[in-house]
Amino acid sequence: MRFSTSPLLSAVMLCAASQSAVGAMALMDLDSRQILQLEGNLLFITEPLAEQLNGFPGMADKPVKAGETATEAFVARLAAISDEQWKAFLSKTAADDEQEAARRLAPVAAACTDIGCDGIYVSVNPLGNGETHRLLAVVFGSDTRETLDRAAGVFLREGHLRYKTATVIRNGEAVGRTPVFKGEAQDVTLVTHENVVVTIAKTMTLSKDSEAFKMHLTRQQPVIAPVDAETPLGTLSIWLNGKCLRSVPVYAKEPVKEGSLWQRVRDTIILTTTDINEAEKSR
């Protein structure tokens, strides 16, 4: 999901770019994993930066290679790092520096070569409700490390001023039901295993009653018992103004055991002789 740049943010970005010769930028919300801004389609990953990135938890299984890469694909790779690994990194950063401000601009990796300075930064902004808002910035093509740090700081600061997160579904909250065949129960409640957070502009108000807000549930068909509570059974997508903000897997709220011989034989006949949509209506 991408938002168009506000006039204020555009002006700041242009100013930062002119002072530090920034060649490419990207902004991602670590809480929702939405890509909020992209400036420049391609990045050139230098050897020193790739080496630093590959030492970061969560990158070893699929190492970053030096060379040209698509900006969006690179940011998506960073988004795939687990939340636990990001929290561990931020906790260590805070422990290494007594100043609270250090947590608000933490370099994940930053390196300078003869072609310029590039870096990836995380910013944590404390909120009034005791929670935090985490943003990640990718900044490539600065002239010096000083201008790189400055450009990243401006980019992240303006991101915190412009965007906010909203929780639309709580962890374990029911989002629908799905029929179950050959089981002790004929259907099961579907839930998420996480708080579903989306990022929106601070000027926007998110309401589930709004016509612009939609949730679309895609279910696996058919669901055959036994069913555990850890296997995804579908996907919940969050839409706003016709654009998909977030998609998350959904799971059975509770396990469903395999049914009796009669239940299994009955449902086998139903599934082999009836259209799946008609079969689900009989549940």
Side-chain angles (χ1 to χ4, degrees), residues 29-33 83 132-135 165 197 199 246:
D29 194 312
L30 274 181
D31 296 320
S32 67
R33 305 305 169 102
D83 199 50
T132 60
H133 185 203
R134 304 171 304 167
L135 294 177
T165 56
V197 176
T199 306
R246 185 94 189 270

Side-chain angles (χ1 to χ4, degrees), residues 100 103-104 123-134 160:
E100 179 67 17
R103 295 180 57 203
R104 303 190 186 183
S123 173
V124 181
N125 186 38
L127 304 177
N129 57 6
E131 298 182 352
T132 60
H133 185 203
R134 304 171 304 167
H160 284 300

Side-chain angles (χ1 to χ4, degrees), residues 169-175 189-195 253:
I169 298 291
R170 294 287 178 184
N171 184 1
E173 182 178 343
V175 297
T189 299
L190 297 174
V191 300
T192 65
H193 281 183
E194 61 186 289
N195 289 335
K253 185 176 182 179

Side-chain angles (χ1 to χ4, degrees), residues 33 48 57 75 96 112 220 255:
R33 305 305 169 102
V75 178
D96 288 344
C112 293
Q220 173 187 319

Side-chain angles (χ1 to χ4, degrees), residues 53-64 77-78 80-82 85-86:
L53 285 169
N54 291 331
F56 189 81
M59 301 295 275
D61 58 331
K62 190 178 179 181
V64 174
R77 176 71 182 88
L78 295 171
I81 297 173
S82 73
Q85 289 167 326
W86 281 118

Side-chain angles (χ1 to χ4, degrees), residues 46 62 66 69 80 82 87 105-106 113 174 177 192 197 203 224 235 244 254 258 267 276 279 281:
T46 62
K62 190 178 179 181
T69 186
S82 73
K87 287 179 179 178
L105 185 62
T113 65
R177 299 186 69 84
T192 65
V197 176
T203 55
I224 307 292
T235 303
C244 183
E254 61 279 322
E258 191 175 57
D267 287 351
I276 182 60
K281 291 178 182 178

Side-chain angles (χ1 to χ4, degrees), residues 134-147:
R134 304 171 304 167
L135 294 177
L136 180 143
V138 175
V139 182
F140 273 58
S142 293
D143 294 330
T144 66
R145 177 60 188 266
E146 181 182 356
T147 53

Side-chain angles (χ1 to χ4, degrees), residues 40-54:
N41 295 324
L42 294 174
L43 301 174
F44 186 86
I45 309 292
T46 62
E47 289 282 359
L49 190 67
E51 184 177 347
Q52 288 185 42
L53 285 169
N54 291 331

